[in-house]
Amino acid sequence: MPVRRNIDWARIERGLGTRLPSDFVELSEAYAPLIIDDFLALHMPVPGEEDKFVSVAQGILENLASLRESDMSHGHVPFPEKGGLIPWGDSNEGDMLYWRTRGDNPEEWTVVVSGAWDDWPAFPGSLTEYLAGLISGTVPAEGLPQGFPGPDPVITTD
């Protein structure tokens, strides 16, 4: 069993104003930040740098608010607005990946991809269902570049 990384989740929850899905918490406790096929990076907190994690998320939410003000977010809003998005990953080509918050239960949050080409596809499942499907090829990489992930995806840590 992997050694827990001991991230201060209470500090993150206070900073973001919400809990995060348990699958993300478990993944973050078990692994350093993950990168899929040298392309898609998960925003995972580093122990002792929880404030940085929150600050990065807040900066991305400010960018999303700017997109909305410019009528470029296709109706998506930043958290903490009702149904607002919270970032959990990005690509080296400018794609952003979010949770769509629904109600007070993070276990019911789904995935939205903001593709670099201004498409915003949604996936009706959890972050781990989405990632497992991308890696196995059972979930289409809508909103992400064609050919991602490759036929034998490599997962590395940052």
Side-chain angles (χ1 to χ4, degrees), residues 26-51:
E26 291 172 26
L27 195 63
S28 297
E29 282 293 342
Y31 300 100
L34 298 174
I35 301 169
I36 301 170
D37 259 4
D38 200 29
F39 176 76
L40 181 71
L42 276 70
H43 300 174
M44 298 166 73
V46 174
E49 297 182 16
E50 292 85 356
D51 291 339

Side-chain angles (χ1 to χ4, degrees), residues 23 88 98-100 107-112 122-131:
D23 62 341
W88 61 260
Y98 299 94
W99 287 289
R100 179 187 325 225
E107 307 313 315
E108 296 176 1
W109 295 356
T110 58
V111 172
V112 172
F123 175 75
S126 70
L127 173 137
T128 52
E129 290 170 330
Y130 178 74
L131 293 176

Side-chain angles (χ1 to χ4, degrees), residues 77-97:
V77 298
F79 184 83
E81 293 181 41
K82 183 177 173 126
L85 304 182
I86 296 176
W88 61 260
D90 64 9
S91 79
N92 59 17
E93 290 188 7
D95 309 288
M96 291 299 308
L97 294 99

Side-chain angles (χ1 to χ4, degrees), residues 132-145:
L134 275 182
I135 292 166
S136 69
T138 60
V139 169
E142 293 181 74
L144 300 172

Side-chain angles (χ1 to χ4, degrees), residues 41-82:
L42 276 70
H43 300 174
M44 298 166 73
V46 174
E49 297 182 16
E50 292 85 356
D51 291 339
K52 180 179 177 182
F53 175 83
V54 170
S55 177
V56 167
Q58 290 171 335
I60 294 168
L61 293 175
E62 288 171 12
N63 290 342
L64 180 57
S66 294
L67 286 175
R68 179 188 52 188
E69 290 167 11
S70 301
D71 202 28
M72 296 172 58
S73 71
H74 296 261
H76 296 288
V77 298
F79 184 83
E81 293 181 41
K82 183 177 173 126

